[in-house]
């Protein structure tokens, strides 16, 4: 279970290799939604269109890599109806339904398509900007300003403490969470800030506690819309929980036998939480999907 991490069978590329068949997978987006085969109500699992050509007229196309030797294209289209047998669906709605490897490649495609859609003009002089650097960037035709896809680093930290009654995890519910879950703390890195300083600042701002023993866990791109989550674990050092108004609806120390609803298995948050559970309770029922 790799979550939204690109599978090892995927090679990110910007140009189709000469020896690869034309076409392949078509990750076509309409206003941020992905074209999939089989609509939500269909008994068949959704898939991605394949073929030499996209299954509907597209306005721009970008080669994004090879999945098990098959070309992958990201494309966007105008506000048109999907062909028969297809539907446009939000990526998040495809969690657990679209195979993980296709979902991860779709995440890359979504970010590349969105970058090109929102950078057709120069941010300095507003002249048209053309695709540049083999599709990686856009360059202004008037002043030469070059723009690359925006990737926003964000820290995530799971704070834990080991008490006489066992391990407890500090999990919080953000005011903007769409589903009734609790998760690790997270926040965006600010200009010139280190990720480590961001962990300490955000943890204190969001729940009023100080942490120590920061340890790197892993990272994962999160295309909603363009985050890079950099995850850590930390031990509680001091302070009682005090939720930041407007940001955190609730935060609590949860013992492992009273854990709340947790994030999707596709998120690094869940892998982080699972790892902290597995350290002390490898047979915990929540570790079985
Ligand atoms: Zn310009």
């Amino acid at each position: 279970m790799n979550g939204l991490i690109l599978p090892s069978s995927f090679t990110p590329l910007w140009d189709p290799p000469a020896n690869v068949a034309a076409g392949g997978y078509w990750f076509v987006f309409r206003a941020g939604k992905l074209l999939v085969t089989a609509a939500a109500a269909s008994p068949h699992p959704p898939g991605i269109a394949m073929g030499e050509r996209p299954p509907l007229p597209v306005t721009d196309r970008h080669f994004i890599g090879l999945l098990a030797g098959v070309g992958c294209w990201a494309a966007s289209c105008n506000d048109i109806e999907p062909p028969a047998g297809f539907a446009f669906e939000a990526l998040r709605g495809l969690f657990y339904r679209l195979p993980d490897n296709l979902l991860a490649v779709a995440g890359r495609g979504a970010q590349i398509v969105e970058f090109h859609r929102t950078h057709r003009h120069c941010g300095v002089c507003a002249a048209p900007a053309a695709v540049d650097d083999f599709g990686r960037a856009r360059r202004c035709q008037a002043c030469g300003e070059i723009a690359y896809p925006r990737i926003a680093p964000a820290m995530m930290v799971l704070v834990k403490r080991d008490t006489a009654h066992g391990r407890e995890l500090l999990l919080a519910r953000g005011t903007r969470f769409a589903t009734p879950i609790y998760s690790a703390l997270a926040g965006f890195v600010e200009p010139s800030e280190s990720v480590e300083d961001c962990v300490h600042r955000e943890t204190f701002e969001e729940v009023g506690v100080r942490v120590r023993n920061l340890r790197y866990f892993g990272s994962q791109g999160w295309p909603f819309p363009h985050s890079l989550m950099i995850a850590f674990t930390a031990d509680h050092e001091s302070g009682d929980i005090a939720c930041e108004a407007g940001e955190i609806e609730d935060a609590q120390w949860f013992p492992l036998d009273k854990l709340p609803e947790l994030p999707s298995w596709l998120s690094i948050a869940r892998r982080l939480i699972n790892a902290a559970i597995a350290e002390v309770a490898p047979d915990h029922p929540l570790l079985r999907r």
Side-chain angles (χ1 to χ4, degrees):
M1 189 73 211
N2 276 329
L4 279 175
I5 292 174
L6 288 168
S8 56
S9 55
F10 182 78
T11 309
L13 292 170
W14 296 93
D15 258 329
N19 60 345
V20 168
Y25 289 105
W26 289 95
F27 296 86
V28 183
F29 294 87
R30 185 186 76 183
K33 290 189 171 180
L34 175 65
L35 183 73
V36 290
T37 61
S42 160
H44 304 291
I48 298 297
M50 291 189 79
E52 275 194 38
R53 282 180 294 280
L56 76 182
V58 298
T59 52
D60 65 334
R61 61 182 74 188
H62 308 275
F63 190 78
I64 61 171
L66 291 174
L67 179 61
V70 178
C72 296
W73 296 81
S76 51
C77 67
N78 288 326
D79 186 17
I80 51 176
E81 287 301 308
F86 288 85
F88 285 102
E89 290 200 44
L91 274 189
R92 280 178 183 273
L94 291 164
F95 279 17
Y96 302 140
R97 294 173 50 227
L98 194 64
D100 286 358
N101 59 346
L102 293 176
L103 194 64
V105 178
R108 170 173 164 86
Q111 290 187 79
I112 290 169
V113 160
E114 182 63 8
F115 163 69
H116 286 286
R117 189 180 75 82
T118 55
H119 289 76
R120 286 180 291 197
H121 292 88
C122 175
V124 176
C125 75
V131 175
D132 201 84
D133 196 3
F134 308 99
R136 291 179 181 87
R138 289 188 89 100
R139 185 184 294 273
C140 175
Q141 300 302 283
C143 77
E145 174 77 7
I146 191 160
Y148 281 86
R150 180 159 45 139
I151 296 168
M155 75 82 201
M156 172 170 283
V157 63
L158 179 62
V159 185
K160 55 190 175 56
R161 67 181 183 189
D162 291 316
T163 73
H165 311 290
R167 174 157 293 187
E168 294 181 338
L169 307 180
L170 201 173
L171 299 172
R173 237 193 95 60
T175 52
R176 289 186 290 263
F177 283 12
T179 52
I181 58 162
Y182 281 73
S183 187
L185 303 172
F188 287 105
V189 177
E190 294 187 346
S192 288
E193 187 177 47
S194 72
V195 186
E196 294 85 347
D197 284 348
C198 179
V199 171
H200 290 286
R201 176 181 57 76
E202 286 278 356
T203 306
F204 188 70
E205 283 176 7
E206 291 193 341
V207 294
V209 306
R210 301 287 187 190
V211 297
R212 59 187 165 82
N213 291 342
L214 208 57
R215 282 180 302 280
Y216 176 70
F217 175 78
S219 69
Q220 173 179 331
W222 191 243
F224 305 103
H226 45 236
S227 301
L228 170 64
M229 306 303 300
I230 304 161
F232 296 85
T233 58
D235 294 326
H236 178 238
E237 182 175 78
S238 62
D240 296 326
I241 294 174
C243 297
E244 183 183 12
E247 283 287 324
I248 303 294
E249 186 178 295
D250 185 37
Q252 298 177 38
W253 288 107
F254 289 97
L256 299 193
D257 60 352
K258 291 198 179 81
L259 287 169
E261 194 167 334
L262 297 174
S264 157
W265 283 75
L266 292 168
S267 65
I268 195 168
R270 184 56 180 270
R271 290 194 290 127
L272 185 62
I273 293 167
N274 282 357
I277 297 170
E279 268 181 7
V280 293
D283 298 322
H284 198 290
L286 280 175
L287 299 179
R288 290 191 291 271
R289 186 176 169 182

